[in-house]
Amino acid sequence: MHTPPLHTQIAVIGAGPVGVLAALALQRQGKQVLLIEARPQHTVIRDKRTLALSFNSVAAFAAAGIELPQDESTPIIDVHISQQGLFGRTLLRAADMGVAALGLTVDYAVLMRQCEAALVAQQTDVLWNTQVRRVRTLKHFAELSLEHNGESHQLTADWVILAEGGHLTDGLPGLQRHSYDYRQSALVTTLTFEQAGNGTAYERFADEGPFALLPYHDAWRLVWTRSPEDAIALKEMPFEAFASRFEAAFGSRLGALQSRGELAVFPLQLKQLNKVYSGRVICIGNAAQTMHPVAAQGLNLGVRDALAVSRLLGQARNLNQPDLAVHYAADRRLDAHAIVGFTHSLVTLFDHPDLVLKLGRSGVMSLLDSLPSARKKFTEQLIFGL
């Protein structure tokens, strides 16, 4: 699309994975959709993150025409959850759920490339290189102030879906963003061991900070939560010293650590809106909440946001119903609050050094592992939501 229209039924702001999924799903249901993205088309994505997508998320992207190449993704067959230095562990198995894999890992850049290919293939209307300067919500529609290719434009929409980083929520009535600074950083790198990749993801609550070790081709991607000072020190540490520190936390179940890739450090915060709508604007994905990465639930929660909003607006015969946003918020409340709360508790409770609490956590993991029905229900909620 070369110039903005005057009006569209649904404007989706943000062409990340969640925004693209919502736009494609709504378009497939016959709605008039306009996707708006600040970056130019065909921008090279330099984001180094690796994502852990649940079975449900992989299926959602596939249903929208976003295919993830097998040679650029890695199945997660099992998830091994343990605690350093104490008994007790839980093993979540794909076989228990009757699926080939609980999910997969894929680089963010690969997913974005496939999202853009799907937009082209399905001829979705996209305004690339377009900044949304302001969003106003009125009684019967929302109004957007745009800067497209250096020129100012006004656009109205029956509904606006915010799927960007959340800065546009600041001026919307009734919305407040609650933040919690964990005063932690995530250290991210790629590790190879004597043992090649086996499809198992490891969630380890180590004494020096919890970490996730995600299968990544024949290696693993490490996301280790540490204090900002520790994360920088680990980043600058020689390989031999780093290997000693990591093996002390993880053990030798994969053999000796053989290599370490480029290291990156990211600050960690929890951000969540007090409510996910304001008039004719609905917030999904990172616009609604950003989470700690320890349980790899952030994008998967955003995918379920996108599915819910596209189902609600896609099935509505008449979009001129202000209470559609209320229905969306009610539909997503339990899942969003439960997953955000669960992730937050993992960081704040499982990171506590108290021995009594550690023994209690070990007992809970052992009990969960010994009860197949409870373990299956827990796994189901992680990959499908509540």
Side-chain angles (χ1 to χ4, degrees):
M1 177 171 286
H2 300 292
T3 58
L6 294 176
H7 181 81
T8 187
Q9 283 187 321
I10 302 168
V12 180
I13 303 176
V18 171
V20 170
L21 178 60
L24 291 175
L26 284 162
Q27 179 177 287
R28 287 183 170 221
Q29 295 178 86
K31 298 303 182 186
Q32 181 191 39
V33 182
L34 177 64
L35 182 60
I36 304 172
E37 170 55 42
R39 72 180 187 277
Q41 190 176 14
H42 308 310
T43 298
V44 176
I45 302 298
R46 303 191 184 279
D47 193 308
K48 299 295 186 181
R49 287 176 294 167
T50 298
L51 307 170
L53 301 179
S54 70
F55 175 89
N56 181 67
S57 296
V58 175
F61 284 120
I66 303 169
E67 297 292 343
L68 301 176
Q70 290 187 2
D71 62 344
E72 294 183 280
S73 58
T74 307
I76 301 173
I77 310 300
D78 302 317
V79 178
H80 184 284
I81 307 171
S82 63
Q83 188 171 212
Q84 181 182 352
L86 289 172
F87 70 93
R89 65 102 167 102
T90 297
L91 184 61
L92 310 180
R93 304 173 179 88
D96 291 344
M97 303 303 297
V99 296
L102 296 174
L104 55 79
T105 60
V106 62
D107 287 338
Y108 181 83
V110 172
L111 178 56
M112 288 303 302
R113 185 194 71 208
Q114 297 304 105
C115 283
E116 187 167 335
L119 292 172
V120 173
Q122 299 177 46
Q123 299 181 331
T124 304
D125 287 334
V126 185
L127 284 177
W128 299 99
N129 196 31
T130 302
Q131 295 282 346
V132 180
R133 299 300 185 189
R134 184 185 180 192
V135 179
R136 286 203 309 154
T137 181
L138 306 174
K139 184 175 182 180
H140 296 293
F141 54 85
E143 182 182 65
L144 305 180
S145 299
L146 311 175
E147 185 176 312
H148 175 68
N149 291 333
E151 297 183 359
S152 298
H153 298 268
Q154 297 294 118
L155 165 69
T156 60
D158 296 323
W159 288 94
V160 169
I161 299 173
L162 289 187
E164 39 73 75
H167 69 280
L168 289 171
T169 63
D170 292 344
L172 290 171
L175 296 189
Q176 294 180 341
R177 187 170 299 277
H178 302 302
S179 299
Y180 182 89
D181 187 352
Y182 290 107
R183 297 177 182 174
Q184 296 174 333
S185 294
L187 176 76
V188 180
T189 189
T190 302
L191 303 179
T192 62
F193 298 85
E194 287 180 320
Q195 180 178 323
N198 59 8
T200 299
Y202 296 92
E203 290 278 354
R204 180 78 160 169
F205 295 96
D207 294 342
E208 293 186 320
F211 62 81
L213 201 59
L214 304 172
Y216 185 69
H217 307 296
D218 288 331
W220 276 264
R221 287 286 280 172
L222 171 68
V223 183
W224 198 351
T225 299
R226 302 298 296 260
S227 71
E229 297 79 15
D230 284 349
I232 294 298
L234 285 166
K235 181 181 179 182
E236 297 174 350
M237 193 174 288
F239 173 75
E240 291 76 12
F242 177 91
S244 177
R245 292 285 291 276
F246 182 75
E247 288 171 356
F250 184 59
S252 58
R253 56 176 52 86
L254 295 177
L257 181 61
Q258 293 188 323
S259 69
R260 176 189 67 186
E262 180 183 355
L263 296 102
V265 173
F266 304 96
L268 299 175
Q269 283 189 321
L270 167 66
K271 297 180 181 180
Q272 187 175 30
L273 290 176
N274 61 324
K275 63 176 186 176
V276 294
Y277 69 93
S278 176
R280 293 302 184 106
V281 177
I282 296 175
C283 303
I284 68 174
N286 284 343
Q289 66 271 316
T290 58
M291 297 160 52
H292 195 290
V294 66
Q297 288 298 306
L299 178 56
N300 294 309
L301 186 60
V303 165
R304 298 198 293 274
D305 289 346
L307 294 177
V309 76
S310 60
R311 182 171 59 247
L312 179 76
L313 297 182
Q315 294 175 356
R317 294 184 178 180
N318 177 16
L319 289 176
N320 190 22
Q321 302 177 64
D323 60 350
L324 288 172
V326 179
H327 294 318
Y328 169 79
D331 183 42
R332 296 298 301 137
R333 183 173 293 113
L334 175 61
D335 188 28
H337 284 273
I339 295 300
V340 170
F342 168 70
T343 300
H344 184 64
S345 68
L346 286 180
V347 182
T348 56
L349 295 179
F350 273 69
D351 198 31
H352 201 286
D354 183 84
L355 179 59
V356 174
L357 285 176
K358 291 176 70 175
L359 289 169
R361 294 191 293 261
S362 293
V364 169
M365 284 189 282
S366 295
L367 180 63
L368 181 62
D369 197 61
S370 67
L371 297 173
S373 60
R375 189 178 65 243
K376 182 177 179 180
K377 187 65 176 178
F378 178 72
T379 307
E380 179 183 302
Q381 291 174 350
L382 287 181
I383 64 176
F384 293 107
L386 282 81

